[in-house]
Amino acid sequence: MKKHSARVAPLSSYSTQVLTCPISEGEDGSESHAETPGSETSEESRSYQTCTHTALKVLGGLLLVLCVSSSWVGTTQVVKLTFQSFSCPFFISWFSSNWNILFFPIYYSGLVVTTREKQTPIQKFRECSKLFGEDGMTLKLFVKRTAPFSILWTLTNYLYLMALKKLTATDVSALYCCHKAFVFLLSWIVLKDRFMGVRIVAAIMAITGIVMMAYADGFHGDSFVGVALAVGSASTSALYKVLFKMFLGSANLGEVAHFLSTMGFFNLIFISCVPLILYFTKVEHLGSLSSLPWGYLCGLAGLWLVFNILVHVGVVLTYPILISIGTLLSVPGNAAVDVLKHEVIFSVVRLAATCIICLGFLLLLLPEEWDSVTLRFLATIADKKTEEHGEELTDSSIHTRSRSRANGTVSIPLA
């Protein structure tokens, strides 16, 4: 009994005051209890709004990916259908580029619907024309700024259409994805962007895929010419994007819409002479206006305009990487159409070349800090595993001690 009393004696020092939690009355206590739930609620609402905004942005981006891919696949396939009855690639390119004039009116209409814009279209157009300088757009600046981009735009479209006359839609869309590698190389040389080894590897893979694509049917005939035309289209597209980033990199959506509409006007005014020259020299046989396939031409121009709108608007509204993924998904989309509708049989070399180009395209989408982000992610996973292992050891030791105490002592209630 003396031994038991010795064990019980220390428990007498634990009074009921230790087990109770006193609440101080007064203004301080009431304020502390009033502020804590409110701050927690505000933090929860902010975090909820942030998560909701991010989720909506991601869902909108995924929907945009499907729209970009579908519009580009539709454009490519409609071109193939148009060539069956109307084989004039430069006229098609010129006619489709004229539809860029509608870019700014569509932008202003969307602005009025979403924000109830009070400025007139002329006022908004003049405001966006500051892209050309503080004095706005003059004839000299109009020609100087618009001419290089309009020429590169026309060349990109024309070479792409010429390549579609020689190759399948899948091959041309895969080769066009090499423009991402060319953009990196030109940005590294001209804009002095950061050097990344993984992107050099991706550029090498793109070049390897190009060579394999040209070798698929031997270095001769329409296949080699088609590969050269598709690579030329990708090169001019890369040059256009690098120059756009150099001179107009800080432009907002309204200024971009203004610039593209200006390019459409330049195309209509100054490049209209080229289709006439090709017609009178009988390089392209247009025929009478009534015999032209206006349905295919308008459908093609509309899809091309939708694709350009989605690309430029999507970069502003969602993540730019999703636009690139949408362009990449046009390759399997065109492949599905070629196999199911046109019954195209792809050789092993072409499939391997297409896969190599697509893999290189995905490597080019890695962010600049991908290596440090990956290392931090792996370090976080390792720390979590270490903490979980430490908690398991602590729980096992506590369980062992409780079992040993239960075997040698008597539990006494704290009353």
Side-chain angles (χ1 to χ4, degrees), residues 53-63 318-319 322:
H53 177 70
T54 304
L56 291 176
K57 194 173 182 180
V58 171
L59 291 176
L62 294 177
L63 180 62
T318 183
Y319 304 100
L322 297 177

Side-chain angles (χ1 to χ4, degrees), residues 5-177:
S5 62
R7 289 184 181 180
V8 175
L11 293 176
S12 61
S13 62
Y14 288 88
S15 62
T16 57
Q17 294 178 355
V18 179
L19 299 177
T20 59
C21 182
I23 301 174
S24 60
E25 297 180 356
E27 295 180 356
D28 296 336
S30 61
E31 289 178 357
S32 62
H33 285 278
E35 291 176 358
T36 303
S39 61
E40 291 179 355
T41 304
S42 61
E43 291 179 358
E44 290 178 356
S45 63
R46 283 196 298 268
S47 62
Y48 176 76
Q49 292 176 357
T50 303
C51 294
T52 304
H53 177 70
T54 304
L56 291 176
K57 194 173 182 180
V58 171
L59 291 176
L62 294 177
L63 180 62
L64 192 65
V65 165
L66 296 177
C67 294
V68 169
S69 178
S70 301
S71 61
W72 192 234
V73 171
T75 302
T76 306
Q77 295 297 329
V78 172
V79 169
K80 298 289 287 186
L81 293 175
T82 307
F83 280 157
Q84 295 178 2
S85 58
F86 184 72
S87 181
C88 297
F90 194 90
F91 180 82
I92 295 174
S93 174
W94 170 81
F95 180 78
S96 301
S97 299
N98 289 336
W99 283 49
N100 284 339
I101 298 174
L102 300 175
F103 207 107
F104 186 81
I106 293 174
Y107 161 75
Y108 182 79
S109 302
L111 197 65
V112 170
V113 172
T114 55
T115 62
R116 296 180 180 179
E117 181 66 33
K118 296 181 180 180
Q119 290 180 317
T120 62
I122 301 298
Q123 292 174 343
K124 191 64 179 178
F125 191 82
R126 289 176 178 175
E127 179 185 340
C128 296
S129 65
K130 293 180 180 179
L131 177 70
F132 293 90
E134 294 296 332
D135 298 332
M137 184 177 60
T138 61
L139 180 61
K140 181 180 178 181
L141 287 175
F142 170 71
V143 177
K144 182 180 178 181
R145 287 291 184 91
T146 311
F149 293 99
S150 183
I151 292 172
L152 288 174
W153 182 284
T154 303
L155 279 176
T156 299
N157 296 341
Y158 176 66
L159 293 175
Y160 188 85
L161 296 177
M162 287 292 293
L164 285 173
K165 294 182 67 176
K166 307 291 184 180
L167 300 174
T168 62
T170 305
D171 295 341
V172 177
S173 59
L175 289 169
Y176 184 76
C177 288

Side-chain angles (χ1 to χ4, degrees), residues 262-279:
T262 306
M263 282 176 50
F265 279 111
F266 183 90
N267 184 81
L268 180 63
I269 296 171
F270 293 99
I271 304 183
S272 297
C273 60
V274 179
L276 293 176
I277 293 173
L278 296 177
Y279 172 73

